[in-house]
Amino acid sequence: MAENTDRAGRSASQTVKALLELRELILGGELRPGDRISELAIVERLGVSRTPVRTALVRLAEEGFIEEIPSGGFAVKGFSERDVFDAIDLRGLLEGMAARLAAERSLSAGDLAPIRDVLAATDALIAEAGDNEEFFSGYVALNGRFHEMLWALSDSPVVVRQIERVSALPFASHNGFVMAQSAAGEARTILAVAQDQHRCVVDAIEAREGARAEALMREHARLASRNLRTVLRNRTRMDLVKGGSLIR
Amino acid sequence: MAENTDRAGRSASQTVKALLELRELILGGELRPGDRISELAIVERLGVSRTPVRTALVRLAEEGFIEEIPSGGFAVKGFSERDVFDAIDLRGLLEGMAARLAAERSLSAGDLAPIRDVLAATDALIAEAGDNEEFFSGYVALNGRFHEMLWALSDSPVVVRQIERVSALPFASHNGFVMAQSAAGEARTILAVAQDQHRCVVDAIEAREGARAEALMREHARLASRNLRTVLRNRTRMDLVKGGSLIR
DNA sequence: TATTTCAATAATGTATACATAATGAATACA
DNA sequence: TGTATTCATTATGTATACATTATTGAAATA
C-alpha cells in the first residue's frame, strides 16, 4: 500500500484514489467524449474493486464530467465551444456575487490584509521574473490563492460551494487558460490587466462598492473567454488546456 | 415488487427508490440536521440493501442535503437563515443569466409562444379562482412551468444544470415559499407582482433587452426573500415550507 | 447483399460477506 | 466521584458473488 497515499502522506481511501485517477484519465484525454466507461476495465486499470469505482463514477457524474446512459452505466461528456464560454461566464457571475457580498458584508479591519499580500507577491513575481514556465506556474499558484481568498471573503458557504462546482470543469476555472496563454505573445499584457482587475476588486470591496466589485469580477472572467477564443483559433495550444480534449 | 414503480408505472431502480425516500425523510424533518445517517437503519426502513442506499447518499451529498463526516458516513446538513437568503439570491442571479442569454441569443419567431401561453393561463387562474388550496397548487404548477421554460430559452445546458443544482434545495427554488405565502394576507398582492415580473421578463427577452431581463429575474427572486423573512418572523407557517426543518 | 433473429457474451444493478476503524459502555484506577 | 482504559459492539469501506438486462456477432432468411 505504499503508493496509495494522499499528498499529506496519509493512506487515502480506494474511493478517493479511483476518483482522482479517473478524473485524470478523462481530463488527460485517455477517455474521450462519448466513450462508455466500462467498470471492469477501470477495475483492471486501477487495481481497485468495483464498489469504489462506482462511487467515484457517481461523484464524477455530479461534477459534470460524465453522464448516465439511459440503458445503464456512464459515458464521458463532451462540451461544445459555447458550453465552455457559458461556463466561464457563469464563473464570472458567481465570483461577481462573491465580491459583492464581500463588499456588502462589513469586514473587520485586517480582513483584507492577506489578499493584499497576495497582490503584492504577484506584483513582485511579475516585476522580477522572466517568461519561463516556472514563472507561469508561480503565477498559477498565486492566482489560485487570490481567487480562493476572494471566495472566502464572501463569507457565504452556499456561494463558495456553487463556485467550486462550476470551477470543477478545469477549463472554466480561474487557471484554465493561464498555461495556454503563456505561449502567446500578448501574455504579459493580459497578466497586467488581470492583476489590475484583482487590485481594483479589492479596492472596491474595501470601499464597500458592491456593484463595482461585482462588475469587475464579471469582466475579469472575460479574460478567460478571450484566451479561449485565441486557443480555439489555433488548436495547437489546446493541449496546454487541462480537459481540452473534452471540447469539441 | 408491486409498489416499486415510478410515476409512469415502470419499475424504478432500488437506487432511485432510496434516493427519493431518503430525500423525503430529510425534507420531511424525520432526519434532523446534525443527525448521523446510519446505513443499516435506512436499509431496515426502506427494505433496500446497502449498495443502493450508499449510492443515494453520495448523490444527496452532492445535492447538498447531507455532508460527509470526517470519521466516515454522512450527517444531515443544516442551513443558517443567511444561507437560505444567499441561496435564493443565487438562484435569482442564475435565472437572471438565463433570461439575459435568452434575450441575447436570437430566437426564432414562435419561440416565445409557449411561455406566453403559460402567462395567459396564469392570468386566467388568478382572475377566476378563489383563495383555496387548489388555487395555490395550480399556481405552483404554472409557476414551475414558467421557470423551466425560461431556463430552456437560454439554450444553455451548462446554465440550466447550475440552476437545477441551486434549486435542488427546495427552499431556494421558485416554488419554495408559495404555499407559505398562501396563508398570508398579502398573498394576492405578491402573486400579482410576480406575474407582472414574469410578463416583463418575456417582453424584455422579445425586445432583446438582456440587461433588463437579467435585472428583472434577480429582483423576482427577492419576492422569495421577502416571503422567507415573513415566515421567519412567525415560524408557525414554517411547516408549509418544504425542507423548512433544515433551517435553524 | 441487406436484414432480422437468436444465442452467447458482457455489463450493470443489487445483495451480502468480510475486514478495519469508530463508538460507547463498563470497569479499573486515581 | 471523576477520569482513563480496555473491550465489546457497531458502522463503515471494500470486495465479490449473483441475477437481470443490454450488447454483440453469427447464422438464417428474404
Side-chain angles (χ1 to χ4, degrees):
Chain A
M1 255 191 220
E3 71 260 35
N4 186 14
T5 54
D6 64 13
R7 274 166 301 179
R10 297 172 308 229
S11 73
S13 70
Q14 301 294 77
T15 300
V16 171
K17 180 184 174 185
L19 184 64
L20 296 177
E21 300 200 21
L22 265 171
R23 196 150 44 196
E24 278 316 305
L25 286 177
I26 294 170
L27 292 178
E30 300 199 57
L31 297 172
R32 306 196 65 79
D35 282 0
R36 181 170 193 164
I37 299 183
S38 159
E39 289 178 9
L40 291 180
I42 302 298
V43 164
E44 278 191 37
R45 196 152 182 176
L46 304 188
V48 162
S49 83
R50 276 184 67 206
T51 306
V53 167
R54 204 141 228 292
T55 306
L57 289 174
V58 172
R59 286 217 151 91
L60 287 170
E62 300 288 337
E63 289 182 12
F65 294 110
I66 62 181
E67 56 192 346
E68 273 190 77
I69 299 175
S71 63
F74 297 89
V76 180
K77 214 157 149 183
F79 295 87
S80 71
E81 296 184 0
R82 210 177 74 176
D83 286 338
V84 181
F85 282 113
D86 284 356
I88 293 171
D89 215 21
L90 212 37
R91 169 174 62 84
L93 196 73
L94 295 171
E95 291 195 314
M97 176 166 172
R100 174 170 60 81
L101 290 180
E104 288 172 357
R105 289 173 179 169
S106 57
L107 301 159
S108 313
D111 283 351
L112 291 178
I115 203 169
R116 287 212 182 274
D117 289 345
V118 174
L119 284 179
T122 310
D123 279 338
L125 184 74
I126 293 179
E128 115 203 351
D131 242 349
N132 49 24
E133 187 174 324
E134 191 189 353
F135 165 77
F136 277 98
S137 65
Y139 178 80
V140 163
L142 284 170
N143 188 44
R145 293 246 307 275
F146 178 89
H147 281 263
E148 285 175 22
M149 288 173 111
L150 178 77
W151 305 346
L153 284 172
S154 76
D155 197 25
S156 174
V158 175
V159 172
V160 172
R161 192 184 151 85
Q162 214 53 226
I163 296 176
E164 284 171 342
R165 295 214 71 75
V166 182
S167 303
L169 302 175
F171 42 73
S173 86
H174 47 269
N175 277 327
F177 292 93
V178 173
M179 294 316 282
Q181 160 196 334
S182 76
E186 52 195 353
R188 304 301 288 233
T189 308
I190 295 186
L191 274 193
V193 171
Q195 170 72 349
D196 192 59
Q197 288 171 330
H198 282 188
R199 189 183 314 281
C200 287
V201 166
V202 176
D203 288 344
I205 291 171
E206 188 164 43
R208 305 265 187 274
E209 297 167 351
R212 181 177 168 228
E214 176 171 353
L216 276 163
M217 285 312 291
R218 286 174 76 159
E219 190 58 34
H220 184 56
R222 290 269 160 169
L223 288 183
S225 294
R226 283 160 63 180
N227 283 331
L228 169 60
R229 220 176 304 272
T230 305
V231 175
L232 286 176
R233 255 200 301 274
N234 177 357
R235 289 230 171 192
T236 55
R237 282 194 302 247
M238 190 55 101
D239 57 337
L240 288 174
V241 179
K242 198 164 189 183
S245 58
L246 302 180
I247 307 172
R248 61 166 164 272
Chain B
M1 261 196 216
E3 73 260 33
N4 184 14
T5 53
D6 64 13
R7 274 167 300 182
R10 297 171 309 230
S11 73
S13 71
Q14 301 295 78
T15 300
V16 170
K17 179 184 174 185
L19 184 65
L20 295 177
E21 300 201 20
L22 266 170
R23 197 152 38 199
E24 277 317 305
L25 285 177
I26 295 170
L27 292 178
E30 299 199 55
L31 298 172
R32 305 195 66 79
D35 281 1
R36 183 171 191 162
I37 300 184
S38 160
E39 290 177 9
L40 291 180
I42 303 298
V43 163
E44 277 191 38
R45 196 153 183 174
L46 305 189
V48 162
S49 83
R50 275 185 66 209
T51 306
V53 167
R54 203 141 228 290
T55 305
L57 288 175
V58 172
R59 286 217 151 90
L60 288 170
E62 299 288 336
E63 288 182 14
F65 293 110
I66 63 181
E67 57 192 344
E68 272 190 78
I69 298 174
S71 64
F74 297 88
V76 179
K77 214 158 152 183
F79 296 87
S80 72
E81 296 183 359
R82 211 177 73 176
D83 285 340
V84 182
F85 282 112
D86 285 356
I88 293 171
D89 215 21
L90 212 37
R91 168 172 64 84
L93 196 72
L94 295 171
E95 292 195 313
M97 176 165 171
R100 175 170 60 80
L101 290 180
E104 288 173 357
R105 291 176 177 167
S106 56
L107 300 159
S108 312
D111 284 350
L112 291 178
I115 203 169
R116 286 212 182 274
D117 289 344
V118 174
L119 284 179
T122 310
D123 279 338
L125 184 74
I126 292 179
E128 115 204 353
D131 242 347
N132 49 24
E133 187 174 324
E134 191 189 354
F135 164 77
F136 277 99
S137 65
Y139 179 79
V140 163
L142 284 171
N143 188 43
R145 292 246 308 274
F146 178 88
H147 280 264
E148 284 174 23
M149 288 173 110
L150 178 76
W151 306 345
L153 284 172
S154 75
D155 196 25
S156 173
V158 175
V159 171
V160 172
R161 192 184 151 85
Q162 216 52 227
I163 296 176
E164 284 171 344
R165 295 213 71 75
V166 183
S167 304
L169 301 175
F171 43 72
S173 84
H174 47 266
N175 276 329
F177 292 93
V178 173
M179 294 317 283
Q181 162 196 331
S182 76
E186 51 194 353
R188 303 302 288 231
T189 308
I190 294 186
L191 274 193
V193 172
Q195 170 73 348
D196 192 59
Q197 287 171 331
H198 282 187
R199 189 184 312 283
C200 287
V201 165
V202 176
D203 288 344
I205 290 171
E206 188 163 44
R208 304 266 188 273
E209 298 167 350
R212 181 177 169 228
E214 176 171 354
L216 276 164
M217 285 312 290
R218 286 174 75 161
E219 191 58 33
H220 184 55
R222 290 270 160 169
L223 287 183
S225 294
R226 283 160 64 181
N227 284 331
L228 170 60
R229 220 176 304 271
T230 306
V231 174
L232 286 175
R233 254 200 301 275
N234 178 357
R235 289 231 171 193
T236 54
R237 279 194 304 247
M238 188 58 98
D239 58 336
L240 288 175
V241 179
K242 198 165 188 183
S245 58
L246 303 179
I247 306 173
R248 60 165 164 274

